[in-house]
């Protein structure tokens, strides 16, 4: 797939325009995001992804469109698991409800920039070394095993990473929020606010999730443009999904098992592709191994099928065994008061 420079610039420019428009709407009238509003935004971003995929189908062909959709659905699904951590971060830092949308937007922009760097490095490595597929496959299978062991359990506490601890040593942090400001001056001294801390927490935490999600999408397509756009669409719609899902997150009790199956499947797919492209001298004398490869139609079918079965099974189990949640349990309501 040949992607001209102007298309890269146009894509990034369109993404920046959407982010700036979103920021303007948030700053113009900060408010707690409602379920109907979140629903409209989720549908908007999903529709954008569908239109983009249709454009790929029209101008690049069904194969590349299929790879984009498979990557988009996979990234979006893996990102849902991030929401459990985002809920914990919001509660830990007691982010006011009116500022949660802004926090998620900036945090996800930080995550997208870092993922872009990661994608560029991964694409360059794949282009030069075919054995990188084996490494990616090992990462995915290892992560799949850990997810399966995790089962329905999720951590309930958030521990600050090294980036945040370093920032706290470099700049003093206020106890209270100062509106949407990230930095303030108090008695002539510059202070960071919890707002910048939680934004960096969201962005840096997502990078850890990218360590398995990026190899996963490279298992579906080796086109850097498709990898980047699938990540962009998935991340941009993620923050609205945070408000929409609310208490449903804890009802997706089999999500980890579903994601484990997907990662293991893509890991095996990567191994087959690595063997097909083999150049390692100790495997088949450095020649490609004639193994069957999984085409994108099968991949897309498996991804969608596993997610549907996982979701239905989770909701059935939740309905039988979990108590109903109240509006107070929604992420937007959990941290409606600031520190103080």
């Amino acid at each position: 797939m040949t992607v001209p420079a102007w298309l890269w610039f146009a894509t990034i420019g369109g993404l920046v325009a959407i982010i700036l428009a979103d920021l303007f709407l948030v700053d113009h009238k900060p408010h707690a995001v409602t379920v109907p509003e979140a629903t409209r935004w989720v549908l908007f971003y999903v529709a954008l992804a569908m239109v983009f995929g249709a454009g790929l189908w029209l101008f690049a062909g069904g194969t590349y469109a299929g790879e984009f959709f498979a990557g988009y659905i996979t990234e979006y699904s893996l990102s849902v698991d991030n929401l459990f951590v985002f809920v914990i971060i919001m509660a830990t830092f007691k982010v006011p409800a009116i500022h949660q949308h802004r926090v998620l937007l900036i945090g996800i922009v930080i995550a997208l920039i870092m993922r872009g760097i990661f994608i560029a490095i991964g694409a360059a490595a794949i282009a030069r070394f075919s054995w990188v597929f084996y490494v990616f496959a090992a990462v995915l299978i290892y992560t799949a095993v850990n997810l399966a062991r995790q089962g329905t359990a999720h951590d309930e506490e958030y521990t600050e990473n090294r980036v945040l601890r370093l920032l706290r040593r470099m700049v003093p942090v206020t106890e209270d929020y100062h509106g949407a400001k990230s930095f303030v001056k108090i008695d002539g001294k510059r202070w960071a606010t919890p707002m910048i801390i939680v934004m960096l927490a969201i962005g840096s935490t997502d990078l850890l999730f990218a360590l398995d999600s990026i190899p996963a999408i490279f298992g579906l397509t080796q086109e850097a443009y498709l990898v980047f756009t699938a990540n962009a669409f998935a991340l941009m719609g993620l923050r609205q999904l945070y408000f929409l899902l609310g208490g449903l997150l804890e009802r997706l009790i089999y999500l980890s098992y579903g994601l484990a199956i997907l990662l293991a499947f893509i890991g095996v797919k990567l191994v087959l592709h690595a063997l097909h492209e083999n150049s390692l001298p100790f495997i088949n004398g450095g020649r490609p191994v004639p193994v069957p490869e999984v085409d994108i139609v099968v991949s897309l079918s498996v991804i969608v099928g596993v997610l549907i079965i996982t979701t239905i099974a989770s909701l059935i189990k939740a309905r039988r065994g979990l108590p109903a949640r109240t509006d107070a349990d929604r992420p937007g309501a959990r941290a409606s008061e600031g520190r103080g």
Side-chain angles (χ1 to χ4, degrees):
M1 182 179 184
T2 302
V3 181
W6 67 265
L7 184 55
W8 273 103
F9 285 118
T11 302
I12 295 173
L15 181 61
V16 171
I18 293 173
I19 292 171
L20 292 177
D22 209 332
L23 269 176
F24 172 76
L25 293 174
V26 172
D27 288 339
H28 181 66
K29 190 178 179 181
H31 61 283
V33 177
T34 63
V35 171
E37 182 183 4
T39 301
R40 290 192 296 270
W41 276 105
V42 167
L43 292 176
F44 169 74
Y45 280 110
V46 170
L48 277 184
M50 296 300 104
V51 170
F52 181 83
L56 283 173
W57 193 298
L58 181 63
F59 294 104
T63 298
Y64 290 125
E67 290 179 358
F68 167 77
F69 283 124
Y72 169 68
I73 294 171
T74 299
E75 289 297 316
Y76 215 172
S77 303
L78 290 171
S79 295
V80 170
D81 205 35
N82 299 15
L83 295 183
F84 287 101
V85 180
F86 291 174
V87 168
I88 295 171
I89 291 175
M90 292 291 193
T92 299
F93 291 97
K94 298 178 181 174
V95 182
I98 63 172
H99 297 313
Q100 289 185 11
H101 187 279
R102 176 185 174 88
V103 164
L104 285 170
L105 178 60
I106 301 300
I108 285 174
V109 168
I110 294 171
L112 183 57
I113 292 172
M114 292 192 292
R115 283 196 182 205
I117 296 172
F118 195 0
I119 290 168
I121 295 172
I126 286 173
R128 187 171 181 181
F129 308 107
S130 62
W131 52 261
V132 171
F133 289 112
Y134 292 110
V135 177
F136 283 178
V139 170
L140 294 183
I141 294 173
Y142 174 79
T143 305
V145 171
N146 285 340
L147 278 174
R149 287 178 176 174
Q150 172 185 305
T152 60
H154 293 276
D155 292 334
E156 296 295 333
E157 296 183 0
Y158 173 73
T159 303
E160 292 187 2
N161 55 39
R162 293 182 180 179
V163 174
L164 300 184
R165 293 197 295 270
L166 177 61
L167 178 61
R168 287 187 182 276
R169 287 199 295 267
M170 295 175 60
V171 183
V173 181
T174 63
E175 288 294 325
D176 300 323
Y177 287 88
H178 293 259
K181 294 181 179 179
S182 299
F183 294 93
V184 293
K185 276 192 175 183
I186 302 177
D187 298 328
K189 186 177 180 181
R190 190 173 183 83
W191 290 68
T193 72
M195 185 68 71
I196 187 66
I197 297 295
V198 71
M199 287 176 182
L200 289 175
I202 295 290
S204 57
T205 298
D206 179 82
L207 185 61
L208 297 178
F209 288 100
L211 294 178
D212 56 66
S213 66
I214 298 300
I217 192 171
F218 271 119
L220 299 169
T221 176
Q222 285 79 59
E223 299 293 339
Y225 181 74
L226 299 182
V227 173
F228 175 77
T229 51
N231 270 271
F233 281 111
L235 285 178
M236 291 303 294
L238 178 62
R239 70 193 186 284
Q240 303 297 343
L241 200 62
Y242 170 88
F243 299 102
L244 178 60
L245 288 182
L248 283 177
L249 281 176
E250 293 184 7
R251 283 179 161 80
L252 298 176
I253 55 180
Y254 294 134
L255 178 64
S256 293
Y257 293 121
L259 296 180
I261 292 171
L262 288 185
L263 291 179
F265 167 75
I266 298 173
V268 172
K269 184 176 184 296
L270 273 174
V271 171
L272 293 175
H273 182 75
L275 290 172
H276 194 268
E277 302 289 330
N278 179 64
S279 61
L280 296 178
F282 53 85
I283 298 178
N284 198 34
R287 298 184 303 275
V289 180
V291 294
E293 287 202 81
V294 182
D295 65 30
I296 197 61
V297 175
V298 174
S299 297
L300 190 54
S301 300
V302 170
I303 291 167
V304 173
V306 168
L307 292 176
I308 290 175
I309 293 172
T310 299
T311 301
I312 293 175
S314 294
L315 295 179
I316 291 174
K317 177 65 175 179
R319 176 174 293 183
R320 291 177 177 175
L322 292 179
R325 300 177 64 85
T326 65
D327 289 341
D329 293 319
R330 291 178 56 245
R334 271 181 209 198
S336 58
E337 297 182 1
R339 291 187 176 188

